[in-house]
């Protein structure tokens, strides 16, 4: 494994890339010359993922995937597949799913990300049927912040499409007082409820919890834990991250190139009524405690 990682890195330094990488949909990946460097072997092929980022939506999944993409032992899928949570895709079969994966070498870990998997009723069993040993990554953040971020994305999309929209207060407060707990963004923040389904099929040791807040504050610390979980050699270092004062969060750099997440990430949230925020914190507190007990970790939420 060590020699293979070194060879990948050396070839990467020489600027040798696969045809797949040249066709990358993400300009920065081509710019930074990615990590799918050409091996002098026919061992390059498309593989089913050995690791999947299952969620959560608006939890930091894109940042996690792009940070992982810097590692030469990682081959990351460009887009969200929605294979295990949408019947129309799942019915196309594993052959179709494999064809959506990047070309990788046997020493690399193929990673796919679809945040919708975490809250899906069907995804846990379907993923287990594909590979019961797959390693799952779950990135979480304060459920209230996640909810507001979820709403912010929907709000932005409706405004861009010139569609009518409601404030979060109008959506969440029935008769001006009672919380509308059936709102989908509320449901997505019930981490314990969703995790219980995954634990029916996978042992806790196969699910690594990434602290979304920690990934923002100290990305290297969180990513070092992810490297260990995936069995990757230590590669990411302080030089791969720099704090962007304008955006207010860490961006990535490698081989003289710099990259920040696109404008949809870190989008300013609308002002939310303080009383509503208190209600939400109170509502989620018990759910959060259940989640903490399930994962054996605590987070400073609300």
């Amino acid at each position: 494994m060590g020699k293979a990682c070194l060879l990948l890195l050396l070839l990467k330094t020489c600027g040798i890339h696969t045809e797949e990488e040249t066709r990358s949909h993400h300009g920065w990946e081509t710019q930074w010359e990615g990590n799918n460097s050409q091996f002098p072997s026919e061992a390059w092929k498309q593989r089913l993922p050995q690791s999947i980022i299952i969620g959560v939506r608006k939890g930091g999944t894109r940042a996690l995937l792009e940070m992982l993409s810097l590692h030469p032992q990682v081959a990351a899928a460009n887009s969200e597949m929605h294979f295990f949570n949408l019947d129309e895709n799942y019915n196309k079969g594993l052959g179709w799913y494999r064809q959506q994966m990047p070309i990788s070498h046997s020493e690399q870990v193929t990673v796919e990300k679809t945040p919708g998997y975490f809250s899906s009723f069907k995804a846990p069993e379907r993923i287990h049927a594909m590979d019961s040993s797959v390693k799952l990554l779950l990135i979480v953040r304060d459920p209230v912040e996640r909810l507001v971020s979820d709403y912010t994305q929907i709000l932005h999309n409706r405004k861009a499409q010139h569609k009518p929209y409601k404030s979060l207060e109008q959506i969440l407060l029935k008769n001006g007082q009672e919380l509308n707990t059936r709102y989908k963004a509320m449901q997505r923040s019930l981490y314990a409820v969703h995790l219980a389904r995954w634990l029916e099929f996978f042992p806790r040791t196969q699910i690594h919890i990434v602290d979304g807040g920690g990934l923002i504050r100290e990305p290297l610390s969180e990513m070092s834990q992810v490297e260990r979980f995936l069995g990757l050699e230590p590669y990411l270092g302080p030089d791969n991250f720099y704090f962007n004062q304008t955006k207010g969060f860490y961006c990535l750099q490698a081989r003289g190139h710099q990259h920040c997440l696109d404008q949809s990430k870190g989008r300013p949230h609308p002002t939310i009524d303080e009383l509503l925020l208190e209600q939400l914190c109170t509502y989620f507190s018990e759910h959060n405690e259940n989640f903490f007990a399930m994962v054996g970790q605590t987070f400073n939420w609300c």
Side-chain angles (χ1 to χ4, degrees), residues 92-112:
K92 295 175 183 178
L94 284 176
W96 176 87
Y97 182 51
R98 183 186 287 107
Q99 290 172 2
Q100 313 312 307
M101 295 299 116
I103 296 173
S104 64
H105 189 266
S106 58
E107 296 293 338
Q108 288 181 299
V109 175
T110 299
V111 180
E112 191 246 306

Side-chain angles (χ1 to χ4, degrees), residues 23-54:
R23 296 195 303 260
S24 170
H25 296 295
H26 298 297
W28 70 270
E29 289 179 2
T30 303
Q31 212 176 28
W32 198 265
E33 311 196 17
N35 54 27
N36 286 342
S37 308
Q38 187 80 44
F39 242 92
S41 166
E42 56 278 359
W44 288 98
K45 63 180 181 180
Q46 291 169 300
R47 292 174 168 79
L48 292 173
Q50 296 105 318
S51 179
I52 300 177
I53 300 174
I54 59 174

Side-chain angles (χ1 to χ4, degrees), residues 3 5 7 18 49 53 62 94 107 140 168 208 219 242:
K3 291 181 180 178
C5 185
L7 183 53
T18 62
I53 300 174
R62 170 53 59 182
L94 284 176
E107 296 293 338
V140 293
L168 189 59
H208 179 71
Y242 72 97

Side-chain angles (χ1 to χ4, degrees), residues 15-284:
I16 303 172
H17 317 291
T18 62
E19 182 181 358
E20 176 77 10
E21 183 183 31
T22 307
R23 296 195 303 260
S24 170
H25 296 295
H26 298 297
W28 70 270
E29 289 179 2
T30 303
Q31 212 176 28
W32 198 265
E33 311 196 17
N35 54 27
N36 286 342
S37 308
Q38 187 80 44
F39 242 92
S41 166
E42 56 278 359
W44 288 98
K45 63 180 181 180
Q46 291 169 300
R47 292 174 168 79
L48 292 173
Q50 296 105 318
S51 179
I52 300 177
I53 300 174
I54 59 174
V56 300
R57 173 182 161 107
K58 306 308 296 180
T61 58
R62 170 53 59 182
L64 175 59
L65 185 70
E66 293 199 0
M67 291 176 187
L68 261 178
S69 296
L70 294 179
H71 200 295
Q73 286 177 276
V74 171
N78 284 330
S79 56
E80 296 175 5
M81 296 296 105
H82 291 280
F83 180 69
F84 298 102
N85 61 328
L86 294 183
D87 290 345
E88 61 194 79
N89 288 337
Y90 190 71
N91 291 338
K92 295 175 183 178
L94 284 176
W96 176 87
Y97 182 51
R98 183 186 287 107
Q99 290 172 2
Q100 313 312 307
M101 295 299 116
I103 296 173
S104 64
H105 189 266
S106 58
E107 296 293 338
Q108 288 181 299
V109 175
T110 299
V111 180
E112 191 246 306
K113 148 186 123 63
T114 299
Y117 291 159
F118 183 56
S119 57
S120 165
F121 284 91
K122 297 180 178 180
E125 183 174 9
R126 286 174 170 179
I127 292 177
H128 185 270
M130 175 196 72
D131 182 359
S132 61
S133 66
V134 68
K135 294 186 176 182
L136 305 174
L137 291 166
L138 173 65
I139 181 168
V140 293
R141 65 188 292 197
D142 184 309
V144 176
E145 289 183 3
R146 196 220 63 79
L147 186 160
V148 175
S149 182
D150 205 337
Y151 166 77
T152 301
Q153 177 173 308
I154 295 169
L155 175 65
H156 173 82
N157 292 341
R158 294 193 71 84
K159 285 183 175 180
Q161 297 166 12
H162 305 288
K163 292 183 177 181
Y165 58 87
K166 295 180 179 180
S167 70
L168 189 59
E169 288 83 356
Q170 291 173 311
I171 295 172
L172 285 182
L173 292 176
K174 293 186 291 187
N175 303 320
Q177 289 184 327
E178 185 182 356
L179 277 178
N180 175 19
T181 58
R182 297 179 64 84
Y183 180 47
K184 284 186 177 180
M186 286 277 287
Q187 293 289 314
R188 294 188 190 108
S189 284
L190 299 177
Y191 303 152
V193 172
H194 303 306
L195 182 61
R197 286 196 297 272
W198 290 89
L199 291 176
E200 291 178 14
F201 295 93
F202 296 95
R204 172 68 182 85
T205 53
Q206 244 171 273
I207 306 174
H208 179 71
I209 308 298
V210 180
D211 179 359
L215 193 68
I216 294 173
R217 295 186 302 271
E218 298 180 58
L220 180 56
S221 175
E222 286 296 323
M223 292 308 299
S224 295
Q225 295 178 52
V226 173
E227 285 179 324
R228 288 193 292 272
F229 173 71
L230 294 180
L232 305 175
E233 294 195 5
Y235 174 79
L236 298 175
D239 292 342
N240 292 122
F241 306 95
Y242 72 97
F243 191 80
N244 185 302
Q245 295 289 347
T246 302
K247 291 182 173 290
F249 53 77
Y250 281 91
C251 296
L252 312 180
Q253 58 187 9
R255 298 189 64 236
H257 296 288
Q258 296 182 336
H259 168 69
C260 285
L261 298 179
D262 62 43
Q263 294 180 351
S264 68
K265 310 304 178 184
R267 186 182 286 133
H269 291 175
T271 302
I272 307 298
D273 182 79
E274 287 294 328
L275 289 177
L276 173 58
L277 291 176
E278 288 182 17
Q279 280 183 270
L280 290 171
C281 286
T282 300
Y283 173 76
F284 282 115

Side-chain angles (χ1 to χ4, degrees), residues 140 142 209-212 222 291-292 295 297-302:
V140 293
D142 184 309
I209 308 298
V210 180
D211 179 359
E222 286 296 323
F291 179 72
F292 298 162
V295 301
Q297 295 174 243
T298 57
F299 301 90
N300 186 24
W301 292 342
C302 272

